[in-house]
Structures are given as C-alpha cells and as structure tokens.
Amino acid sequence: MWTDGRYFLQAAQQMDSNWTLMKIGLKDVPTQEDWLVSVLPQSSKVGVDPFIIPADQWKRMSKVLKSAGHALVPIEDNLIDAIWMDRPSRPCKSLMALSLSYTGISWKDKVTALRIKMAERKAVWFLVTALDEVAWLFNLRGSDVEYNPVFFAYAIIGINTIRLFIDGERMADPAVREHLSLDSAQDAEFCIQLLPYESILTVLKSVCETLSPHEKVWLSDKASYALTQAIPKDHRYLTPYTPICIAKAVKNASEVEGMRRAHIKDAVALCELFNWLEKEVSKGNITEILVADKAEEFRSQQENFVDLSFATISSTGPNGAIIHYKDGTTDVTRTMHFGTPSTYEKECFTYVLKGHIAVSAAIFPNGTKGHLLDSFARSALWDQGLDYLHGTGHGVGAFLNVHEGPCGISYKTFADEPLEAGMIVSDEPGYYEDGSFGIRIENVVLVVPAKTKYNFSNRGSLTFEPLTLVPIQTKMVHTHLLTPKECNWVNDYHKKCRVVIGAELERQGRHEALQWLIRETEPISKTH
C-alpha cells in the first residue's frame, strides 16, 4: 500500500499483517513500478484495468517495466468486478443547475470559449473526462461521489456539436432540461445530444473513424488509458492541463464573491464549535466523533449549506474540515489546545505559523509557479531540523472539488501552471509527531495583484488574500520567536476576523460565539 505523509499513521493502524506500508517520499521507498521490477520473474506481464489508470501513469509505468523486460497489459475484465457479487449500482443522483449569480458565466459562453481554444490548436473534438470539468462546463452539480459535488458523465465537444454521456432519470428533471435548453429550439451548435454513460468508448471510436488526416482530438493526459488508446496516435492531442482546467482555476467575480460568502458562514460555524469545545473539554466527555458531528450541526445551520466536502477530520492535534456551500467550498484547519501546552508544542506551533505567514504574505512576480513558494513555508521548520511530508497547498474549486489543478504549492510537482490573479489555493504547513501531537494551520487564500515600489520588466506582482477568517490560537504562540512584521500580520488578520465575522455573528444573534471571537482576536505584541 503506497501512501504519502498525511496517512502514514492511519495506514499503519488500519492495515493488518498481510499488508506492507510503502511511505511515499521517504528515502529507499521504491515506486510501484520499481517494486514490480524487483519482485517479478523474467518476462512478466502485468495486467491493469485500462479504465482506472491515467494515460500518463500508464506511460511512466510501461516504460520502466519494458526497460526491465516486462510488459504492461490492458485487461478486458476487471478482476475485482468478477468476484464482487453484491456490488451496488453506480450512483445516479439528481443534479443541481447553478444560476448565473453563482457561476458568473453561462455554459454556452464556456463552450464558445472552449471552441476558440480548440480552433487555436486545430482540434476538431474535445473529450471531457474529469468529473469536475464536466460539472464546471455545464454549470451543473451533483452528489454521485461522496463529499464532491460532481456526477458521473463524459462529454465530447465538437466544433458545432455537443454530446453528453450521462445515465438516469435525472435528465428528465424540468429544471435541468430548461438549464440545458434540451426542449427548446436553438442554434445547432448548442444542441446537446444525450447518450448513455457506458457508450463513450463506442462513440469515441466512431468519431475517430470520420477524422481527416490532420484533424485532432484533444484530451487530458490524465484521461484513462482505455479512452486515450481509442484515439489513433496521429489524431491524439494530449496536454497535462486542459483549457477547462485552467479556466476553472481562475475564478470570476461571482465565484470569488461566492467563496467569500462560504468562508464567512464557515467561520461563524467554527466560532460556535470552538466556543462549545472550550466549555465541554474540561468535562471530559468529548470524543473525536462527537466533535465532528457538532461541527456538521453548526455548519448545517448556515444558509445554502449543501454537504461536507470531506468527512470532518477532528482529532486530538489537527482539528479541521472541508465544506461545500452552494456559494463555494471551504477547507480550513485549526490546531487548538484546551489545556496547558508544553514549551516544545508552542515552539513547533510558532514555526508552523511563521511558515504559514511566509506564504500568505509573500509577494512574487506574475508567472511564478506555486512550487517555488513551498520552501517559504518550510524555512522556519528547516532552520530547526523539522519538516512535514505533504505539499503546502492545493487548488480549491468554487463549489467543486476541494483539490483541483492546475495550480498548487508543493515540492512534489514542477508541472504546475503559474499562479495568476483569481486562482484560489490552500496554505497549510504543519508539523506532526506520531503518538504525541500534530499541528496544522490552514487557510484558503485568493491570488490577488500586489502593489510594489518598482515593476521589473513591467510584469507586475501578486500576493495572497486570506478567504478563511478563523482565529489562530495565540496562546500557542511564542511571540518572542516572531518578527515585528509577523506580529503585525497576526494582528491584522485577527482584526479582519473580528470585523467581518463579528458582524455576521452579531447579525445571526450568536452572542456567546461573538464573545469567544473577541477574546481570541486580542492583539499580540513581541516579547523579548
């Protein structure tokens, strides 16, 4: 079982002796393909279901196996399916059509913009395989996948045709039909042909049979190997990030406003939660599950709450969650200590905070890739010989997947797209000691233009604006380890929390939580 640093502890606890844990990123831990090469007998064939492995991963794995005299082979029937007798049917839940007030741009305008990009690359067809890209393109949301507001579908966009591969009665919903103009006469290029989800491979092959010599089908290199192989190599145009992925990452004014609203509501719920926790912990009857349930209870009281976008991760140490509101998606982590922290715990917390501030306050030129900022978050920890084994940040969708490309802040990839104004990412450094404690401070931040004294080569600068407005527990901070600039950042951040979230707590009549917020946002000063 291969997993990264986020799950080392959980995997070790949950797997029995039949399993070996492979800790990705640690020295001497082999990749899956290197491990296969080390254990396979000569001239082996490794069978893989081509529908569940991305084309780029297949290519990488196949290359390594081939160089060692082995072969990666697509198998017709998934072996798990063959023995899974009581397998539930694929979810096919109802859809939600999003209005312009949430999306800021109509699905027809999105299709038009995509076709312009297709024409630039001389592609006559575009295959949409990522579920969040289908959802974003058509301004629809679903709940087929737990904690992600997406639905099972593919789409093939032509120069003047649209095919949507989707199952179920849900397309009979009058609101969905009206949203997609399924029953009204309109321009042929926006007429959507509905097809069964399972027919994608057959239809794709027939589309490819009609291609002229130089015509291309554009798709992501993360699409399944099965679909990629259905397109003859000469007609295949693969890119790591699709134009939909890139357009989706740059939020428009309506999406940014929705994300702001979602984070204000979430902060209100968390102020209520932490105020409740402060009183309950001392009674000694708190469990992690109880806290998670209470967090969901407070969140569900907020207008437009749709669903958790992740099961609340509440544990002694890291305490956080990721939430979907109709307005947007939140992802926040706070580490709270309800007793007396040790000097060492406070020291570690302060280094994590310094890293969080270093990213949040960073000013960098337009065109900078997020992975270059990853070491900013680690510098204070590295100085003390400490580190954490996960990336510092990921892209966040607007009422969509909480993890999305093509941007992020991580040492794990150099293939990320440059950050640009309107992108939304997380800033989440941490520090963890197995069996003792864990610390993470996570905000969702918006990339915004920065004002600088000079403007080298007229390229402009960017910085981050926090959308998450939840106090950071100052009793955990060794203020003498902070610079004056870092103290000011904390005070400015808490002032904004107090003003923005305080007003909403007041409006909702949540006076006890408001008092908690005021206590937790008292200014700090640097002590020597």
Side-chain angles (χ1 to χ4, degrees), residues 228-247:
T228 306
Q229 283 300 109
I231 305 162
K233 199 167 184 180
D234 289 348
H235 294 292
R236 227 180 277 160
Y237 181 56
L238 293 171
T239 53
Y241 300 113
T242 70
I244 300 176
C245 176
I246 292 165

Side-chain angles (χ1 to χ4, degrees), residues 260-273 297-305 325 327 499-515 517:
R260 286 190 205 282
R261 286 196 304 270
H263 282 83
I264 290 170
K265 292 169 189 175
D266 207 47
V268 166
L270 287 174
C271 287
E272 283 278 26
L273 176 72
E297 179 191 320
F298 285 130
R299 283 169 157 143
S300 62
Q301 292 167 10
Q302 295 299 307
E303 186 190 4
N304 281 339
F305 172 85
Y325 296 87
D327 316 82
V499 169
V500 177
I501 308 308
E504 185 63 16
L505 286 165
E506 187 81 61
R507 191 184 74 78
Q508 293 189 24
R510 298 174 184 269
H511 301 297
E512 211 179 295
L514 175 59
Q515 291 311 306
L517 173 71

Side-chain angles (χ1 to χ4, degrees), residues 351-365 368-383 388 392 409 427 429 462 464 486:
Y351 298 141
V352 172
L353 175 60
K354 285 169 79 74
H356 179 92
I357 295 169
V359 170
S360 197
I363 295 174
F364 48 93
T368 300
K369 291 189 171 189
H371 71 257
L372 294 173
L373 304 179
D374 185 77
S375 56
F376 288 32
R378 299 175 194 275
S379 181
L381 287 162
W382 282 352
D383 281 350
Y388 53 96
T392 299
I409 303 173
D427 171 11
L462 300 168
F464 296 112
E486 288 166 341

Side-chain angles (χ1 to χ4, degrees), residues 229-292:
Q229 283 300 109
I231 305 162
K233 199 167 184 180
D234 289 348
H235 294 292
R236 227 180 277 160
Y237 181 56
L238 293 171
T239 53
Y241 300 113
T242 70
I244 300 176
C245 176
I246 292 165
K248 176 168 58 64
V250 182
K251 277 59 178 177
N252 60 45
S254 300
E255 290 171 319
V256 169
E257 192 47 46
M259 290 291 270
R260 286 190 205 282
R261 286 196 304 270
H263 282 83
I264 290 170
K265 292 169 189 175
D266 207 47
V268 166
L270 287 174
C271 287
E272 283 278 26
L273 176 72
F274 292 139
N275 175 57
W276 172 83
L277 262 174
E278 211 166 67
K279 293 179 294 185
E280 294 297 319
V281 165
S282 58
K283 298 178 188 174
N285 56 359
I286 290 290
T287 65
E288 292 171 6
I289 290 170
L290 181 62
V291 175

